[in-house]
Amino acid sequence: MEGRAEDLIAAAGGQPPGSLRAALANAMVGLKKQYYGRGPEAAKAYVEDDYIFVVLEGGLTRNEETLLAAGQEDLVRRYRLTFQEAVTDTATGVVEELTGRKVIGYHSQITFRPARAFEIFVLAPDR
């Protein structure tokens, strides 16, 4: 592993993992830690055919928790989706680096009870 993926995995506090799933999970944790200032407590990646689904548990920032306590779920969700647009190139670039395949679709979503973030990637068909 070279380049950006290695940097994000290191930001997650992880060692270079032995599996693609572990590398993807650690890279997404590192992305959250590096760009949000706080990372999730746990992560798991699922890879199936042309799809990658990463589930991140916890990781809300203190200001997001404060806004949620004030009933501002929509504001936190809009902020997260706007931020997703800003880091799309980084997130998709890391997945492309790790898989060796082009990402043709990416979406991020969040739930609050429980706090979970979902990173979904669609890969170009492997031919």
Side-chain angles (χ1 to χ4, degrees):
M1 261 178 306
E2 296 179 5
R4 194 72 183 137
E6 187 175 328
D7 294 341
L8 290 178
I9 290 168
Q15 299 296 317
S19 73
L20 174 61
R21 287 181 20 186
L24 290 163
N26 286 335
M28 292 302 109
V29 168
L31 185 139
K32 299 293 184 183
K33 282 186 175 183
Q34 186 168 346
Y35 292 99
Y36 283 83
R38 180 170 182 201
E41 290 88 38
K44 187 168 185 179
Y46 302 86
V47 179
E48 185 66 35
D49 299 325
D50 299 334
Y51 306 97
I52 295 171
F53 187 76
V54 183
V55 180
L56 305 161
E57 298 180 13
L60 293 172
T61 63
R62 184 167 290 142
N63 66 328
E64 290 172 328
E65 291 171 347
T66 301
L67 288 169
L68 291 171
Q72 298 294 319
E73 284 187 10
D74 288 341
L75 180 61
V76 174
R77 182 170 282 107
R78 281 194 318 269
Y79 170 77
R80 284 274 179 142
L81 292 176
T82 301
F83 198 83
Q84 172 214 343
E85 292 174 16
V87 298
T88 291
D89 289 345
T90 301
T92 58
V94 167
V95 170
E96 288 175 347
E97 181 183 340
L98 291 170
T99 63
R101 295 176 63 188
K102 176 141 182 70
V103 173
I104 58 173
Y106 169 57
H107 182 69
S108 182
Q109 191 53 261
I110 189 166
T111 60
F112 301 115
R113 291 176 196 85
R116 302 282 189 271
F118 305 94
E119 307 299 324
I120 304 162
F121 300 88
V122 180
L123 304 174
D126 190 18
R127 297 186 189 229

